[in-house]
Amino acid sequence: MFCREGKLSLLFFSAAIIIALIPELVSRLEPDKSIYFENIWLSHILQYGFCNLFLPLLFRGFEYQVVLRSTFLGYVVGIGITIFSTALPSWQMFGAYMILLAIFHYSEFLSISLVNPASLSVDTFLLNHSIAYGIAASFSWIEYVIERHFFPEMKVASYVSYFGIILSILGELLRKLAIFTAQNNFNHLVQSEKKKDHVLITHGVYAIFRHPSYVGWFYWALGTQLILQNPLSTLAYLISSWRFFNDRIFLEELMLCNFFGDEYIEYQKRVPTGLPFISGNTINL
């Protein structure tokens, strides 16, 4: 069952999607669109701002932070749907990217609210994952806009972008499957101390990959740049993501070897990390 914060997040995320779609839906019903909107983006700014005026009146503290972020991510999904379905062909894949990006971050919070609500925090949305993550995302947006300006045909949907969508969806599904398999053993932070109820998960997707959540995140991130058809960012994401997970897995497996000893070492022998050219902490093998 959802905890209270999970229910609130789902309510405001869903409502924000619907509200974000209203301007486009109304404009389609009215032959003379200028009656409603001379500038649809101005209407979105006013509409989103109006919605957020009520949030601090209704909620405080952690609940306010949850509904604020859920509303934002839901609105991004709604805008993404609008762009994907109505914008010029050279902008449509950016709409698809917005949808998958917002759903990824929101579903992180929703998933943890189901399997391990005690660990919920504002950071569970992963919106402030790291400075490097923010810089990489910003660079990819800048690259897309620049390349679209000079080579708009380069951003029109192609086999590459549709492959990116499939890769991102599969990566997202694998990560969430890993979370639901691990249940309360899953945590966004590398644990330095073993909890009493912490057990080694070796079944399900963990019987295929030692780190399925990282595998899913790696290919999701790579897929987002294929969606945008960003050659520079695709290479940058590939290198930076590989380096991040290589370091993270080494540190995490050091902790896991300390927690579970020979049991984890035997698990390492049977199951690969799942990421290319990353062996993890195998100093004991």
Side-chain angles (χ1 to χ4, degrees), residues 13 17 73 77 98-108 172 176:
F13 178 77
I17 294 175
L73 292 172
V77 171
M98 290 175 65
I99 295 169
L100 291 173
L101 181 67
I103 288 177
F104 171 82
H105 284 284
Y106 173 69
S107 63
E108 286 291 303
E172 168 84 8
K176 296 309 181 289

Side-chain angles (χ1 to χ4, degrees), residues 9-21:
S9 74
L10 185 58
L11 173 63
F12 280 85
F13 178 77
S14 303
I17 294 175
I18 295 171
I19 293 171
L21 292 173

